[in-house]
Amino acid sequence: MRKATLLFILMALGAVAQALPYAPQPAESSAVSGKEELIKFGNFESWLTRTVNESKVLGGKTVTLYEVGSGHCAANTAYKNQGGSPWATSNAYAKVSGIVKSNVSVYKDTHPGHGSCAKLYTHMVECKVLGIVNISVLAAGSLFLGELQEPITGTGDPMKKLNCGMKISKRPKAVRFDYKVKLSGEKNRIKKGTGREKQVSGPDLCDAYAFVQKRWEDASGKIHALRLGTMVVRWNKSTPNWVNNATYEIHYGDITSTAYYRDYMRLNEVQRYAKNSKGKMMPIIEEGWGTEEDQPTHIIMAFDSSHGGAYIGSVGNTLWVDNVRLIY
């Protein structure tokens, strides 16, 4: 077993959760009235578990992975969203050169008085072989609307493994959910992927974002979009208790000249992907900002325990999420 092969596997798992670059911003919330609609499975009361039997050369552990949905997934099988759930996680099953490894960074947990919730956690994924090889990469917890393409077989272009977004036909005013944050307390982050561990300036933040889009597909199968609505929130402080019914407004139109706008909200800031009508993963090309006349077709939404991108964060950063709703 070559060390390079093991590092390749770990990088593939750690790259699944890729968020946004660092820039400080206090959480911006506003009280928005309207009709609430719970996103399907967004109360996180329905979960299924699946198992991954890791390769014997890695110790042969049987690992339990948690997924938001209902149904069953056989051991060491590529997971597809079950029961009509629109949610996917950074929990992943990787198989590279016949070697099987897994990552668990999202868990089912308890929200007192509200049943179950999702817990997102930043940690190190490790590979040990007979006490000879011991390598690790940093992986964040991510919960998002869409699908993860399994098994993970490589490290290239991690966002291409995420089929991003859920179909919608109306304009939500805001996103409302319950959350709790526990930050590591470290002044700086680390980057642990290939090579030695490096320090990255600035603290690790938990984040959430939602982008409303109008998408269309051209004759060649390419996916284009207009950005209609934008919401990004980052938490720079731990919350000792749950914050229930937190409401974050979705800002519509070209927001580049508004006080809300930050550079990391720009179009195509992160290259995201979706399946086209032929089932092929294609980049989502944001062509511009939408207007009031544009009809939404999709919403991209994600929650992350670390915000800095693949392999960057602080071990211990934790975000709990529950009761995710859209306000119309």
Side-chain angles (χ1 to χ4, degrees), residues 108-296:
K108 176 184 178 181
D109 208 345
T110 301
H111 179 186
H114 294 264
S116 299
C117 67
K119 175 184 176 182
L120 288 57
Y121 182 67
T122 300
H123 68 127
M124 288 289 187
V125 185
E126 299 181 337
C127 264
K128 297 181 180 181
V129 179
L130 303 176
I132 299 173
V133 177
N134 186 355
I135 54 180
S136 60
V137 301
L138 187 134
S142 183
L143 174 72
F144 63 97
L145 292 175
E147 299 174 331
L148 175 63
Q149 308 300 296
E150 285 191 335
I152 306 299
T153 57
T155 61
D157 202 351
M159 291 302 290
K160 198 171 183 179
K161 301 175 179 69
L162 279 56
N163 180 14
C164 294
M166 178 186 75
K167 290 182 178 180
I168 59 171
S169 59
K170 299 183 294 183
R171 263 179 197 248
K173 298 178 182 178
V175 183
R176 181 171 292 162
F177 53 89
D178 308 335
Y179 74 91
K180 186 171 74 168
V181 171
K182 181 181 178 182
L183 301 181
S184 68
E186 297 292 334
K187 293 182 179 180
N188 295 297
R189 297 161 286 163
I190 62 171
K191 181 175 183 179
K192 186 63 174 70
T194 57
R196 295 182 178 181
E197 181 179 307
K198 297 180 181 179
Q199 181 172 287
V200 179
S201 62
D204 194 16
L205 312 180
C206 298
D207 74 11
Y209 57 86
F211 303 126
V212 179
Q213 295 180 325
K214 175 185 177 180
R215 294 184 194 172
W216 67 94
E217 183 177 329
D218 66 22
S220 67
K222 292 181 180 179
I223 298 175
H224 305 266
L226 294 176
R227 172 87 67 81
L228 308 189
T230 304
M231 186 284 289
V232 181
V233 59
R234 293 174 175 174
W235 294 281
N236 55 13
K237 294 181 180 179
S238 297
T239 59
N241 302 304
W242 277 86
V243 178
N244 294 328
N245 300 314
T247 305
Y248 298 94
E249 183 180 356
I250 297 174
H251 297 255
Y252 279 87
D254 184 348
I255 61 172
T256 54
S257 60
T258 70
Y260 181 77
Y261 181 74
R262 301 293 187 275
D263 185 60
Y264 53 78
M265 298 177 186
R266 66 185 182 272
L267 303 177
N268 301 305
E269 198 283 330
V270 172
Q271 183 59 76
R272 296 179 173 87
Y273 289 78
K275 283 185 179 180
N276 66 10
S277 60
K278 296 182 180 179
K280 183 178 180 181
M281 292 292 287
M282 299 294 291
I284 304 168
I285 305 167
E286 289 186 312
E287 302 287 359
W289 301 92
T291 67
E292 292 184 358
E293 288 73 34
D294 290 309
Q295 181 74 19

Side-chain angles (χ1 to χ4, degrees), residues 9-32:
I9 295 170
L10 288 178
M11 288 181 63
L13 290 168
V16 168
Q18 183 170 356
L20 302 173
Y22 176 75
Q25 178 198 349
E28 298 183 29
S29 66
S30 60
V32 178

Side-chain angles (χ1 to χ4, degrees), residues 69-81:
S70 62
H72 173 73
C73 183
N76 287 35
T77 302
Y79 177 73
K80 302 294 183 183
N81 291 31

